[in-house]
Every structure is written in structure tokens, then in C-alpha cells.
Amino acid sequence: MPATIISGKEISARIRERIKGEIEELVRMKGENPDFALPGLAVILVGDDPGSSIYVRNKRKICEEVGIRSFGYILEKDTSEADLMGLIDQLNEDKNVHGILCQLPLPPHLDEFSVISAISPEKDVDGFHPINKGLLSMGKNCLIPCTPLGCVEMLKLSGIGIAGKHCVIIGRSNIVGKPLAALMLNENATVTITHSKTRDLQEICRQADILVAAIGKQGFVTGEYVKDGAVVIDVGINRDTENKVRGDVLFEEVSEIAGAITPVPGGVGLMTTTILMQNTLQAYRNIMSKEAVL
Ligand code: GUN
């Protein structure tokens, strides 16, 4: 029996509707008060990488859709670290900005770790700051990276239980694999992280109840990697020779074996930007409640 399709389109539309409703309520609360800030997201792009430019444009569009104010900063590709840090400092102080995202990868002369670490942890809607990473690994409340959280929300909102399941993740990036492992562990899954040096990869993957592909290689996961009835989450966004978006999973083959599967496009990718909106609203509420106490 072919797999159930887990639609990122439907699930993210539901989440966006909820966020939109919450922001409409904030707009009502603001009324005519000029001092009442509404949620705002600043997106920084250094250089003109075409892929990144599309992502940034897309983020602005989704912000508009849900009612989050967006502030875009497109910097020259030879921008100095001091100038970028200056902008981040300014945004850290800006009362109208509650989320700051610096699109990765950065040009090679900029040190990603230093840049990420300069963003105020409470405005770090990517969840990449070492403080948020540390809190996540300790199972504490924090801002959680958007793609991993998107994967977990997709499972939960599809009624797929996580506790006790064996989750195998292919890929150990700081953006997806590692934070997803921490998140799944916090959800009481048994977690295996695999990577390019893993031995007997197929065998390990075939033990997965939930298999997550975050490799960055089109069609890498074939039917041989998948147990009958397993849930397969495809995080890959690759361009084929015709410039079409393709996942890391060979969909046609794997969907005949898996119990449930996320498509590409229309799967995890849509969830990432939706969760970014959710994180911005969370950062806003955290900052506002802290200010109310002070
Ligand atoms: N580049 C690829 N994915 C991401 C992401 O989730 N956040 C940022 N800032 N850059 C990325």
C-alpha cells in the first residue's frame, strides 16, 4: 500500500492561520498606541547568492501573509565583519525587532560562529546561538532551529507518536542533524545519528521507525534503506538537471515501502519558514513578558 503523504503545505497553512489570528489580536490590542510594538523580524543577507535571495524573498512574503513586520538588510558580499556586527548590535537594541536571522552560508571571509554568537539569544529565531543550542541539548525552554522543529511539528500534527520510536537521522549538520537529534531525544525517541563515515548505513536505516534524510544528495535514500511501514522525513532541497526541486529520498520507490512520507516540494521546506514565524512570535512574547516584569 502506498505511503500516506504528510503534507507540509496543509500543516503549515494550519499553523500560519493560527499565527495570523494571534497577530490580529495583537493589532487589536495595539489600537492607536504608537508605543505598542508588533512582532518584527529582521533578515540579513550578505552577498547575492541566488538560492539565498529566493529564501529571503520568500520569508518576507510569509511575514506579510501572517502580519509580522519584516526588515530586510541586503549587504554587499565584501561587507566587513565589523560592519555586519555593527548592524547586529543595532538590531539587538531595536525595540521593533524581536527576531534576527542572518542567512547562511556567509561569504568565506566572515566567521559564522562569531556572527551567530553576536545575535542576542532572545532574538535568535534560528536557534543557532550557542546558548540556545546548549539549552536545547539540556531539554530546557529555548528558541529551537526551524527545520528540526518543523519536522517534529509535522509528526505531531499528523498524529505520529515519537516516544519510544527509533529515529535514525542521516546527516550531522549544525542546522538540521544535531539539533534534530536533541529534539527527538527530548521527545523520548531512541536516536541514532549517521553520517558519511557511518558503516553499514543501509542496515542501520532499515532499523528506523522514523527515518530522516538530511544529506543534501538527490535521491540518496532508496527503498533499500527503508523498513516496511516506516515514517520517512525528507529534509533535502536539491536542484535536478532541469532545475526542479528534488529531495534526498527517491520518492517513487520509497513511497511504496514507507507508511508515511513527506514530499519534496511541499514537505519540510514549507514548514521551515512557517516555524520561523512561530519562533518570531515566541521571541516577541518572551521579550514582552520580560519587559512587563521589569
Ligand atoms: N541556510 C540554510 N538553512 C538556513 C536556516 O535555517 N537559517 C539560516 N539563517 N540560514 C540557513
Side-chain angles (χ1 to χ4, degrees):
M1 204 173 61
T4 304
I5 307 293
I6 304 174
S7 167
K9 202 168 169 184
E10 276 172 30
I11 296 171
S12 62
R14 255 154 65 194
I15 298 174
R16 282 180 206 175
E17 273 310 305
R18 193 198 70 220
I19 295 170
K20 199 171 160 192
E22 288 185 41
I23 290 173
E24 280 164 2
E25 179 58 30
L26 290 168
V27 171
R28 273 192 290 277
M29 283 166 71
K30 173 180 169 62
E32 298 296 314
N33 182 355
D35 295 327
F36 189 109
L38 289 168
L41 172 67
V43 176
I44 306 169
L45 173 63
V46 187
D48 52 6
D49 175 72
S52 293
S53 306
I54 294 171
Y55 290 140
V56 168
R57 224 178 308 141
N58 202 27
K59 281 167 189 148
R60 179 175 312 144
K61 209 182 96 208
I62 311 294
C63 276
E64 263 169 37
E65 186 191 314
V66 298
I68 288 178
R69 298 179 74 191
S70 77
F71 308 93
Y73 296 86
I74 299 176
L75 309 182
E76 296 291 337
K77 64 173 179 297
D78 59 358
T79 297
S80 70
E81 194 158 302
D83 283 352
L84 178 55
M85 293 300 198
L87 173 60
I88 291 174
D89 282 346
Q90 180 196 317
L91 295 171
N92 281 341
E93 296 301 319
D94 192 329
K95 296 271 181 237
N96 287 309
V97 171
H98 307 90
I100 303 170
L101 177 147
C102 186
Q103 188 67 34
L104 303 177
L106 288 169
H109 69 283
L110 297 171
D111 180 48
E112 259 174 33
F113 184 75
S114 308
V115 171
I116 288 166
S117 302
I119 295 172
S120 161
E122 55 187 16
K123 295 190 178 184
D124 168 40
V125 282
D126 257 330
F128 293 166
H129 191 286
I131 287 193
N132 284 315
K133 286 280 183 100
L135 289 169
L136 177 63
S137 71
M138 297 172 85
K140 298 289 182 193
N141 201 10
C142 62
L143 289 163
I144 298 170
C146 302
T147 303
L149 184 54
C151 294
V152 169
E153 295 283 19
M154 275 179 113
L155 292 169
K156 286 187 176 173
L157 293 170
S158 304
I160 297 168
I162 300 174
K165 300 272 178 72
H166 184 196
C167 174
V168 176
I169 300 163
I170 320 176
R172 54 173 156 179
S173 71
N174 286 322
I175 292 181
V176 182
K178 281 186 222 165
L180 180 60
L183 197 49
M184 293 299 265
L185 199 53
N186 292 345
E187 295 291 335
N188 297 309
T190 301
V191 180
T192 302
I193 310 185
T194 67
H195 49 78
S196 53
K197 301 280 193 296
T198 298
R199 281 189 233 143
D200 306 319
L201 182 63
Q202 280 192 9
E203 224 164 275
I204 296 170
C205 291
R206 270 203 301 268
Q207 292 168 25
D209 302 308
I210 300 170
L211 180 63
V212 183
I215 311 140
K217 282 189 186 157
Q218 186 190 324
F220 182 92
V221 174
T222 59
E224 267 103 69
Y225 287 72
V226 181
K227 178 170 78 176
D228 245 0
V231 176
V232 179
I233 307 286
D234 190 349
V235 181
I237 298 179
N238 312 289
R239 296 263 168 194
D240 70 7
T241 47
E242 290 163 25
N243 209 30
K244 283 200 185 124
V245 177
R246 300 271 181 206
D248 288 349
V249 175
L250 202 58
F251 185 87
E252 296 75 14
E253 194 173 300
V254 172
S255 59
E256 292 296 319
I257 301 163
I261 187 167
T262 65
V264 178
V268 176
L270 289 170
M271 292 297 290
T272 300
T273 27
T274 299
I275 298 296
L276 177 65
M277 302 300 122
Q278 186 173 293
N279 279 356
T280 304
L281 188 53
Q282 189 195 327
Y284 169 85
R285 293 201 189 282
N286 293 346
I287 291 167
M288 288 310 177
S289 59
K290 213 162 136 189
E291 278 180 9
V293 173
L294 290 176

